[in-house]
Amino acid sequence: MKNPLLEFTKKGIYCAAADVYLDPWKPVDKALISHGHADHSRWGHKKYITHRLNVPIVKHRLGAIEIDGREWGESFRINGVEFSFHPAGHIVGSSQIRVAHKGEVWVFSGDYKTENDGIATPYEAVKCHTFITECTFGLPAFKWKPQNEVMREINNWWAENRQAGITSVLFAYSLGKAQRLLSMLDTDIGTIYTHGAIEKMTSVIRDLLPLPPTEQILPETDRKAIRGNLVLAPPSAHGSPWIRKLVPYQTASASGWMTFRGARRRRAIDKGFVLSDHCDWSGLLESIRATVAEKVICTHGYSDIFARYLREEGYDARTEETQYEGELAELNSKEGKEEDT
C-alpha cells in the first residue's frame, strides 16, 4: 500500500511528499497553521505558514517567529504538493487546509463552525476525497440555538443585573469567543470592562475588524464605577483574587458545554449560555456531506461515537489521536492567570 497523503505521527499531521506538518504539537521545521488557538499554533517551529489574518494573532501569542501569510484560496506549492487555506468560520483567521497531490485531495478542517457569527470569515465547504474533522460536540445532544437568540439572553441577563446593582462577569476565552461576544453586546446597557488578557488580544483583533469600545480593569480602576456594568474575563479569573474585587457580581459562561447543567455546577457558574465556536451534531454532519468525501478521519472530541455513526451511514470513517482540545482548551486555559493577582 502507498503511504497516505497525510499521516498522523508523534509530532503531528505530516505530509511526507512536501515534508511539512499541519498544526503540529511538537517543534518541526515547517508548519502550516489552521488558526491561533494554543493547541493548534504552538511555539518552537522554524517556519509558520497561515492565513494572513492569523499572522498578527500568532505573532502576538508566540513572539518573534518566521511566519508567512496567504490569502483565501491562494494556491502555493511545496515540493510539488499544492496547498491552500479556506475559511473555517471558527474564529478570526481560522482556516481549513486543502492538500492536493497527484489527483488526490485531502482537507484538514482544524476547528470549524458553520454558523456565520459576523466576526470570522464564514465557513466554506471544500470538496475532497478525505476529510479530517474535529468532533468536539459530536453527540446528538448538542444542538445550538441561533446566536441572536443567545445574545438576547445574555443582554437581558446583563440588564437585569444592572438594575439590581450587580456586576455581570462573563467568562470567555480571550481569543475568538471574547471578540464574538463583544461584537454583539448591547453597549446601551452600560460599559464593557475587560480583564487584561482579553484586552490585549482584543487590541490585536481591532486592527482586523471594528469592535465596540472597552475599558481594561487596572489596579487604579474605580471599583464603584464597575458596578452594574459587564466584565469580560477569561475562565482562569474565576475564583481568583482579581474577581473578588468585583463584589457584588454574578458569573456566566458562554460555551457549548453549558448544554449540560452539570458542567455549570462543577465550575460554580451562576448562569450558563450555550454558545460555541464549534459545530453542533447537525453542523458536523452537514459539513461532511457537503465535502462529498468518501473517507472521514475523526479527531478530538467524541471521535469514537461520531466515527461509528458515520460508518453506519456508509462512510469509510476512522479515528486518530491528536493533542487538540477543542472547546476544552477554552475552559481549561491558564491564559491570563498571571494577571489575576
Side-chain angles (χ1 to χ4, degrees):
M1 291 180 61
K2 68 174 183 178
N3 291 331
L5 183 55
L6 297 178
E7 55 187 313
F8 290 75
T9 72
K10 292 181 179 179
K11 291 186 176 182
I13 301 173
Y14 181 57
C15 178
D19 192 22
V20 299
Y21 288 81
L22 281 58
D23 287 3
W25 44 84
K26 290 187 178 180
V28 300
D29 286 345
K30 187 175 291 185
L32 273 62
I33 302 297
S34 67
H35 66 284
H37 280 150
D39 57 328
H40 288 261
S41 59
R42 304 186 186 228
W43 186 86
H45 311 315
K46 290 184 179 179
K47 183 172 183 177
Y48 297 72
I49 304 173
T50 190
H51 186 266
R52 66 170 180 81
L53 290 176
N54 195 36
V55 170
I57 294 169
V58 175
K59 289 177 72 173
H60 170 77
R61 286 195 52 250
L62 302 182
I65 56 173
E66 183 182 346
I67 185 166
D68 287 341
R70 305 286 177 163
E71 299 291 344
W72 298 126
E74 176 187 347
S75 177
F76 59 98
R77 291 182 177 272
I78 303 174
N79 293 347
V81 180
E82 181 184 353
F83 296 91
S84 53
F85 294 100
H86 303 266
H90 175 55
I91 63 170
V92 174
S94 62
S95 305
Q96 304 171 83
I97 304 175
R98 181 182 183 271
V99 186
H101 188 54
K102 295 182 178 179
E104 187 176 359
V105 179
W106 289 49
V107 170
F108 168 56
S109 65
D111 289 332
Y112 66 105
K113 74 171 182 295
T114 53
E115 183 178 28
N116 182 1
D117 63 10
I119 293 292
T121 305
Y123 173 88
E124 294 179 5
V126 181
K127 292 184 178 181
C128 58
H129 300 106
T130 302
F131 186 59
I132 303 174
T133 182
E134 62 147 307
C135 309
T136 302
F137 294 109
L139 290 179
F142 295 108
K143 182 175 176 58
W144 310 148
K145 291 192 292 188
Q147 73 171 9
N148 288 341
E149 292 183 24
V150 180
M151 287 308 304
R152 190 180 307 118
E153 294 174 1
I154 291 174
N155 283 316
N156 288 341
W157 168 74
W158 177 15
E160 290 169 4
N161 285 342
R162 182 174 179 83
Q163 191 171 17
I166 298 172
T167 299
S168 301
V169 182
L170 184 56
F171 296 119
Y173 194 55
S174 61
L175 171 57
K177 186 69 65 64
Q179 293 76 36
R180 182 182 180 187
L181 291 166
L182 179 57
S183 71
M184 293 180 288
L185 286 168
D186 185 357
T187 54
D188 289 339
I189 298 172
T191 302
I192 302 170
Y193 287 87
T194 56
H195 181 281
I198 286 179
E199 187 64 31
K200 289 175 183 177
M201 183 57 72
T202 299
S203 68
V204 176
I205 305 295
R206 283 190 198 281
D207 291 337
L208 306 175
L209 52 89
L211 291 170
T214 55
E215 291 191 28
Q216 182 180 345
I217 297 177
L218 301 169
E220 62 270 21
T221 301
D222 183 357
R223 291 324 194 240
K224 292 181 180 179
I226 299 175
R227 182 175 295 188
N229 292 299
L230 185 137
V231 177
L232 278 175
S236 64
H238 192 27
S240 69
W242 181 88
I243 197 173
R244 290 198 288 270
K245 299 171 185 175
L246 305 180
V247 174
Y249 62 81
Q250 269 205 1
T251 58
S253 178
S255 167
W257 296 114
M258 295 299 106
T259 298
F260 299 141
R261 293 180 181 178
R264 187 182 71 197
R265 287 196 300 269
R266 284 193 300 272
R267 298 179 184 278
I269 301 293
D270 297 317
K271 187 78 172 176
F273 298 103
V274 181
L275 187 73
S276 176
D277 290 332
H278 300 258
C279 286
D280 62 5
W281 170 263
S282 60
L284 288 169
L285 293 176
E286 290 168 6
S287 300
I288 289 168
R289 293 189 193 106
T291 68
V292 304
E294 299 171 355
K295 296 183 179 181
V296 181
I297 300 174
C298 303
T299 61
H300 51 301
Y302 292 96
S303 55
D304 290 334
I305 295 172
F306 193 66
R308 188 182 312 126
Y309 179 85
L310 291 177
R311 287 194 292 271
E312 291 171 356
E313 293 294 299
Y315 289 93
D316 179 358
R318 61 184 175 87
T319 64
E320 286 286 355
E321 291 293 323
T322 69
Q323 292 188 15
Y324 310 136
E325 300 179 56
E327 201 150 305
L328 285 173
E330 300 180 21
L331 295 177
N332 298 329
S333 174
K334 298 294 189 291
E335 193 164 10
K337 197 74 175 177
E338 69 279 1
E339 301 182 43
D340 291 346
T341 56

